[in-house]
Amino acid sequence: MAIAPGEPGGRLDRQLLSELDDRLEARDGPGALRVLYLEDGKVSTAELRRKLAEGDLADAPRVILLHDAAIAAYRELGASGASPSRRLAAYGAFSPANRRWLRQQDAGHLDLLPVLRRHLSWVRHGTEARRLVGWVTQDAPLLSLGDRLIEDSARLDAVKVLGRDAPVAGEATEQLLLGLPGRLQRQQAAEVLGSPRGAWCLMPEWLADGCFGGVQPDIAGVADGLLRRLDQGGNVTAPAAPRLDYAARGRLSPELRDGVRYVNVPATEVGRRSLGERLLLGALLVGAGALVVLGGALGAERHRRRQRERFGFDELTGLPGRPRLEKRMQRYLNSQHPFQLCWIGFDRLDGLQDTLGPEGTREAVRRIVKRLRRVARGEGYVVRLEGDVFAVMSFLPVRERGESPAGMRFAERLQESLSAPFHVGNADRLLLPRIGVARSTADSTPFALIEQAQGAARQVLRGGERRPRELDAEAVAPEERSLALTEALASLSGEALAEQLTLAVEPRFLLADRRCCGGEFRVRWRHPTWGEVPGKELIRLAEAAGRRALLDRTLCGMALDALAHSGLPVEAPEGPRSARPVWTLPLGLAQLTDAGFIDGLAERFEALGLIPGCVELQWHGAELDTSWPLQSAIRYCRERGFGVALKGLVHSRQALDAIFRQPLSRLVLEPRLMRGVPGDQASILLTKSLRDMAKLAGRHITVTGVATSDQLVAIRGMNFVSVQGPLFGEVQSIEALVARLAAGEVAETARDEDPGADDEASRSVEANRGQE
């Protein structure tokens, strides 16, 4: 029996089921396969139970489940426990819950997720796309895998929902349809397929609707694989190969066109190709012997070159490249065996290109490699990182894990050998090598070690003395440190970034009774080499590295986990003036206006049992652009239960727009506005004017950066509602804040600083009323 998502008159999996029927009929006779379709692809356990009873299929010994809809329906039915001898096989489960259930049932699974990752990588590489946008349906399992698909090495840059989001425009942007080609999905995808950018697709059925193609499952291979999984079990990748609509061949880079199977090839093109093949066959028959020999030699060389490139070896030198070095380093890091990395650059190698041309440069590279191999023989692993940059990974004695004179002696031997002249272009030439050294530690990563060794080599260049050296982090120029941090951030996954981030919170208080009413989450980045990176600098680095979305997702995940498990208050306290604490998540404007991001955040709240009303999303006014669809985005956030705050009003027009037009829940004044209070009359007048406008519009304003009792007296006299700043509590760890809240210390901080603040504030209020 096969259970498949279906629809009236649909074509979903029709070819696959036909292939299965042919194979089973040849083996077991006619009628060996019975197929049950779910109506319109929907999960209906009752309908499935009825069909099983009507078809006398409740005790079918072998069951094939196609895609998540069929797996979910069968799982809810509980039929797997009916017969211990029943064998299950599934195809294309993306839902984590369904994949986990298949493993528990010891069912065979033909996995489409690796095919999807290969499909993304193939489109990105083959089209040189700078941005990949994936399209899924509202309730598709792939929507729950959005974070994994965005963070993966073959990653998407955005996940959009069919029927809700508009097609994405822009140069170097490729769109990919990732849903199943059901009737409703095809209707929703029409707008994307008809857009000027068009779309690529994972499933072959989409080709009939106008998609370009992609790495798609091989249907005959899938049928064979499913029958094998029924007998053998286990999880294996579905067979797949690139397929492309012939009219879209110009969208693919030339080097990838040879291995593609074309569909919808015009008859004229087929005839032209047939004539060309006949002419080629005649030429081959005329000169068969010579061509066979020549073709064999060329084919063998091409095969060797492709093998070297495939397995990560440099074509010119035969040396391994950076991917193989990183894998080897990671293997030694996992085994905790100490090693060191020497990063080797040459200051004069690029200059040979101008004087001797490309051939002279290639000759110099070959001589460098020969000398490196001679010195490193038996002691090091030689790698070519890029054009004029090499690396040698050498292995340290275990007893010299800390200081390693043996490793430095090896680096000095490299320096001595490479500093001697190279005979290139009928002359001896000094190429001036510089070597940076990095040694592995318990918390090292391959990328961090390479960056650390490269930074040490830059210091060799600035120091003037050409000797191998390790990185001195304190001597690094700010520009180099910023560049290294940007590159490091660009390479980190969400999990790795979360391990290096430290979450803290700046508490916020009500001025009326000094009670904590929430706070603003902050993060700091503790880099293993470059030390602490404060939050503002981290945001700037994330923008430069194109990882702001990753940073925001990681911050939100850490903050929600803290709210769910750390003891921070999320419910309103008991009392006549009780109000729910509100905790602020700072986000980029791009995430605030991304409905998919907001939906994912709401789903995470539901999974953790939190109420969205305890969280507020905050963006900075410096990001504001009139082109952003802010009003609708903020309304959508408010509809999902989140508050929305604006911090940093950078000019008066923006302040008026934020106060009177945008549906914000709160405005936050930046600390710089408090620097002039109470001494600067202009700052006081500006603060009062913002307060008056907010009060007129019914907006709540929070004052930040309150550091002195004089400032506290001034803002209490202006009748502001909430405040945060050093006087009430510095940015602190969540554990420390929870402990202080439990002890009742935080609410008394301002009172302890100035016992007469209440009396002074009362007099200030009366004075302000008289002035007004």
Side-chain angles (χ1 to χ4, degrees):
M1 174 178 64
I3 303 176
E7 55 177 298
R11 60 173 184 266
L12 184 62
D13 294 314
R14 183 182 298 170
Q15 184 181 353
L16 172 57
L17 293 170
S18 176
E19 295 280 351
L20 285 170
D21 189 49
D22 290 343
R23 284 158 175 75
L24 290 172
E25 182 176 353
R27 190 182 71 181
D28 302 328
L33 177 68
R34 298 288 299 276
V35 180
L36 291 183
Y37 284 100
L38 302 176
E39 292 298 327
D40 205 15
K42 295 179 181 178
V43 178
S44 173
T45 305
E47 182 72 9
L48 180 58
R49 183 179 289 109
R50 184 183 63 79
K51 289 187 175 183
L52 287 173
E54 290 176 353
D56 196 21
L57 295 172
D59 295 324
R62 299 194 300 172
V63 179
I64 295 175
L65 305 172
L66 302 184
H67 311 299
D68 283 284
I71 298 170
Y74 193 79
R75 189 183 74 179
E76 291 185 12
L77 184 69
S80 60
S83 172
S85 61
R86 176 173 292 144
R87 299 296 302 169
L88 292 176
Y91 167 57
F94 289 112
S95 166
N98 288 340
R99 294 167 72 91
R100 188 163 52 249
W101 180 81
L102 290 172
R103 289 195 297 269
Q104 293 170 354
Q105 301 299 320
D106 195 25
H109 179 209
L110 217 56
D111 199 353
L112 265 178
L113 189 56
V115 178
L116 171 59
R117 298 183 190 280
R118 180 184 168 197
H119 174 62
L120 300 181
S121 179
W122 185 81
V123 173
R124 185 181 291 277
H125 175 67
T127 61
E128 297 182 352
R130 291 195 297 270
R131 188 164 184 252
L132 293 185
V133 176
W135 291 88
V136 299
T137 54
Q138 177 66 48
D139 53 352
L142 282 169
L143 191 59
S144 65
L145 296 177
D147 288 344
R148 289 174 57 187
L149 295 175
I150 289 177
E151 295 170 5
D152 198 76
S153 56
R155 63 184 178 86
L156 287 169
D157 296 289
V159 176
K160 302 289 185 180
V161 177
L162 287 171
R164 189 182 70 190
D165 299 320
V168 179
E171 293 297 324
T173 297
E174 298 293 341
Q175 309 191 91
L176 302 98
L177 298 174
L178 307 180
L180 293 176
R183 178 181 58 184
L184 178 61
Q185 291 91 329
R186 291 203 304 274
Q187 293 172 355
Q188 294 174 340
E191 187 177 4
V192 177
L193 289 167
S195 67
R197 303 300 305 169
W200 301 83
C201 52
L202 174 66
M203 303 301 288
E205 290 86 353
W206 284 107
L207 287 165
D209 295 308
C211 87
F212 303 139
V215 176
Q216 299 176 340
D218 175 64
I219 299 303
V222 169
D224 292 332
L226 279 172
L227 296 179
R228 282 196 297 271
R229 291 311 107 204
L230 277 172
D231 298 326
Q232 302 171 11
N235 187 313
V236 298
T237 301
R243 299 175 63 179
L244 186 67
D245 188 281
Y246 186 78
R249 65 192 183 280
R251 302 184 65 89
L252 193 65
S253 58
E255 61 268 18
L256 289 186
R257 294 178 189 171
D258 292 339
V260 174
R261 176 186 172 188
Y262 290 99
V263 296
N264 301 327
V265 181
T268 55
E269 180 65 17
V270 173
R272 188 181 65 81
R273 287 190 171 191
S274 300
L275 177 60
E277 290 169 359
R278 289 196 294 269
L279 293 174
L280 179 60
L281 179 61
L284 287 174
L285 291 175
V286 172
L291 288 176
V292 166
V293 173
L294 179 60
L298 291 175
E301 175 58 29
R302 188 182 302 111
H303 176 73
R304 283 194 296 271
R305 185 174 68 251
R306 288 179 177 175
Q307 286 293 94
R308 286 197 298 269
E309 294 174 352
R310 177 185 174 190
F311 293 107
F313 288 92
D314 178 57
E315 181 180 351
L316 175 63
T317 64
L319 290 177
R322 179 166 180 157
R324 295 186 68 87
L325 171 65
E326 291 183 346
K327 289 181 181 178
R328 190 180 186 94
M329 292 167 69
Q330 189 61 60
R331 193 161 63 246
Y332 275 80
L333 289 170
N334 293 341
S335 64
Q336 298 183 350
H337 193 96
F339 64 90
Q340 80 172 14
L341 182 72
C342 295
W343 189 96
I344 306 168
F346 294 87
D347 294 339
R348 291 185 178 176
L349 187 56
D350 277 344
L352 292 181
Q353 178 80 19
D354 301 329
T355 57
L356 300 178
E359 186 54 43
T361 304
R362 286 194 290 268
E363 181 185 356
V365 168
R366 285 192 288 265
R367 292 187 182 276
I368 289 171
V369 171
K370 185 176 180 180
R371 201 171 291 185
L372 282 172
R373 282 175 167 157
R374 186 173 65 246
V375 176
R377 184 178 292 118
E379 293 186 62
Y381 183 70
V382 184
V383 175
R384 188 182 186 189
L385 294 178
E386 51 185 334
D388 59 346
V389 178
F390 300 84
V392 179
M393 177 183 171
S394 58
F395 316 106
L396 303 177
V398 176
R399 63 180 180 276
E400 296 180 347
R401 187 180 290 269
E403 296 295 330
S404 179
M408 192 54 71
R409 284 198 299 270
F410 175 75
E412 289 171 352
R413 287 207 310 275
L414 284 174
Q415 182 79 50
E416 181 181 359
S417 174
L418 298 175
S419 296
F422 289 85
H423 191 75
V424 182
N426 297 323
D428 290 338
R429 304 178 188 275
L430 292 172
L431 299 183
L432 299 182
R434 46 191 169 92
I435 301 177
V437 179
R439 279 201 286 268
S440 64
T441 61
D443 56 353
S444 296
T445 64
F447 179 85
L449 285 171
I450 294 174
E451 293 300 308
Q452 186 176 341
Q454 184 178 6
R458 292 195 194 102
Q459 292 181 343
V460 170
L461 184 63
R462 290 202 308 270
E465 185 180 5
R466 289 193 176 268
R467 294 187 57 188
R469 65 176 295 170
E470 295 183 72
L471 179 68
D472 181 2
E474 295 182 358
V476 174
E479 297 81 6
E480 292 182 5
R481 179 179 181 275
S482 179
L483 177 61
L485 286 170
T486 302
E487 293 174 349
L489 187 58
S491 70
L492 287 177
S493 64
E495 293 82 2
L497 179 60
E499 291 176 359
Q500 297 181 13
L501 291 181
T502 302
L503 190 66
V505 64
E506 183 179 11
R508 182 167 56 249
F509 302 90
L510 293 174
L511 276 173
D513 55 6
R514 298 186 179 89
R515 179 167 50 82
C516 181
C517 60
E520 181 178 341
F521 283 107
R522 307 281 182 84
V523 287
R524 295 178 68 86
W525 183 22
R526 183 182 292 276
H527 191 272
T529 302
W530 306 105
E532 289 280 350
V533 180
K536 286 187 178 180
E537 183 182 358
L538 176 58
I539 291 175
R540 180 179 58 80
L541 294 173
E543 294 283 1
R547 307 306 298 276
R548 179 65 190 275
L550 173 65
L551 175 62
D552 288 345
R553 286 199 309 274
T554 306
L555 166 62
C556 289
M558 295 173 66
L560 295 190
D561 288 339
L563 288 174
H565 306 111
S566 67
L568 284 173
V570 294
E571 298 291 342
E574 297 180 0
R577 304 178 67 181
S578 62
R580 181 188 303 279
V582 177
W583 304 94
T584 302
L585 297 176
L587 297 177
L589 197 54
Q591 280 63 255
L592 185 71
T593 55
D594 186 350
F597 179 88
I598 302 301
D599 290 341
L601 198 60
E603 292 174 5
R604 185 72 184 275
F605 265 88
E606 184 177 354
L608 292 173
L610 295 172
I611 300 175
C614 71
V615 162
E616 191 175 56
L617 310 179
Q618 177 178 286
W619 53 281
H620 202 280
E623 298 184 61
L624 186 62
D625 189 334
T626 55
S627 63
W628 284 97
L630 265 181
Q631 286 184 331
S632 59
I634 295 175
R635 287 195 188 97
Y636 188 72
C637 293
R638 301 297 298 272
E639 289 170 3
R640 297 308 303 261
F642 299 110
V644 181
L646 169 63
K647 184 175 184 178
L649 303 173
V650 295
H651 50 73
S652 57
R653 186 189 65 187
Q654 185 189 92
L656 290 171
D657 181 73
I659 292 173
F660 292 105
R661 293 187 57 203
Q662 304 295 348
L664 298 169
S665 56
R666 193 165 59 93
L667 298 171
V668 182
L669 303 185
E670 283 198 289
R672 62 183 177 182
L673 195 59
M674 279 291 100
R675 292 172 190 162
V677 175
D680 184 16
Q681 193 65 23
S683 298
I684 294 177
L685 290 174
L686 176 58
T687 309
K688 282 184 177 181
S689 64
L690 290 173
R691 177 211 61 184
D692 293 340
M693 287 190 294
K695 185 179 295 185
L696 182 63
R699 296 283 186 262
H700 173 189
I701 288 188
T702 295
V703 181
T704 64
V706 178
T708 67
S709 298
D710 291 339
Q711 292 175 340
L712 173 61
V713 169
I715 63 170
R716 281 179 65 91
M718 297 180 206
N719 295 323
F720 282 101
V721 177
S722 61
V723 62
Q724 62 191 58
L727 185 64
F728 287 82
E730 297 279 2
V731 177
Q732 55 198 275
S733 68
I734 294 174
E735 294 79 9
L737 179 59
V738 170
R740 295 183 69 184
L741 285 173
E745 297 177 6
V746 176
E748 301 299 326
T749 302
R751 197 189 309 272
D752 294 341
E753 290 288 338
D754 186 359
D758 286 336
D759 296 336
E760 183 66 28
S762 299
R763 290 193 294 271
S764 180
V765 171
E766 295 300 329
N768 276 302
R769 287 175 179 169
Q771 291 174 5
E772 291 170 356

